[in-house]
Amino acid sequence: MIKNRNYSLDLLRVIACYLVIQQHASEFYYIGEGGTVVTGSNTFWIGIITTLCRSSVPLFVMLSGFLLLPMQDKISTFFRKRFTRIVYPFIAWCVLYAGYYVLSRGDSFSQMALNILHIPVNFGCEIGHLWYIYMLIGLYLVTPIISP
């Protein structure tokens, strides 16, 4: 089966990727040393730019929903295909981060084990940028319910 490529969706992905990069790069213009807020003559425009760039996450969620719904596969096939793509790499990266924290922050091995045990609940919050995977897993779990 040959799928037709939707170039409009590809363009939206490129825009969303750019907005994520712009959002993360612009943080240094309003977050100062020690987490303080930077003030100055350009803070209004920095606020406008970063506010516009925050639309990247809803844009990715809408794209995911558009591409996932309606669900074409059986539920078991859907979960196997989706979760093997994201859960195994996610767990591997979380374990690597737990090990990295032992080396960089001086965490103990018991803290490393606790971080690994927290992966199903909230270790992504500790890592920060992997929060999106938790949201994506939630989207995958809800998809069979909301799919017509």
Side-chain angles (χ1 to χ4, degrees):
M1 177 170 97
I2 298 176
K3 292 184 179 180
N4 293 332
R5 185 132 191 130
N6 190 335
Y7 293 105
S8 300
L9 294 179
D10 290 342
L11 179 62
L12 280 175
R13 283 185 202 154
V14 168
I15 291 170
C17 286
Y18 169 75
L19 290 174
V20 167
I21 293 168
Q22 180 65 39
Q23 172 64 38
H24 287 293
S26 66
E27 287 177 355
F28 297 105
Y29 291 102
Y30 63 88
I31 298 175
E33 200 166 310
T36 61
V37 177
V38 175
T39 58
S41 60
N42 292 329
T43 53
F44 174 77
W45 292 109
I46 292 168
I48 295 292
I49 291 169
T50 56
T51 301
L52 291 173
C53 292
R54 290 195 186 270
S55 65
S56 60
V57 173
L59 191 56
F60 273 122
V61 172
M62 287 185 283
L63 282 168
S64 297
F66 181 81
L67 296 171
L68 286 175
L69 298 171
M71 201 172 72
Q72 304 293 330
D73 300 328
K74 293 189 297 184
I75 292 177
S76 60
T77 308
F78 175 81
F79 283 144
R80 187 175 54 251
K81 187 176 6 173
R82 298 288 188 269
F83 281 110
T84 54
R85 287 184 189 169
I86 64 166
V87 170
Y88 296 134
F90 174 67
I91 290 171
W93 277 107
C94 286
V95 169
L96 285 171
Y97 271 110
Y100 172 74
Y101 288 154
V102 169
L103 299 174
S104 66
R105 293 192 314 199
D107 286 0
S108 65
F109 284 103
S110 62
Q111 181 64 40
M112 177 182 165
L114 188 62
N115 286 340
I116 291 171
L117 288 174
H118 282 167
I119 290 172
V121 230
N122 68 354
F123 187 51
C125 297
E126 172 87 14
I127 297 170
H129 59 276
L130 292 180
W131 68 269
Y132 190 80
I133 302 298
Y134 286 101
M135 185 184 64
L136 194 59
I137 290 170
L139 285 174
Y140 288 164
L141 290 173
V142 172
T143 297
I145 299 168
I146 64 174
S147 183

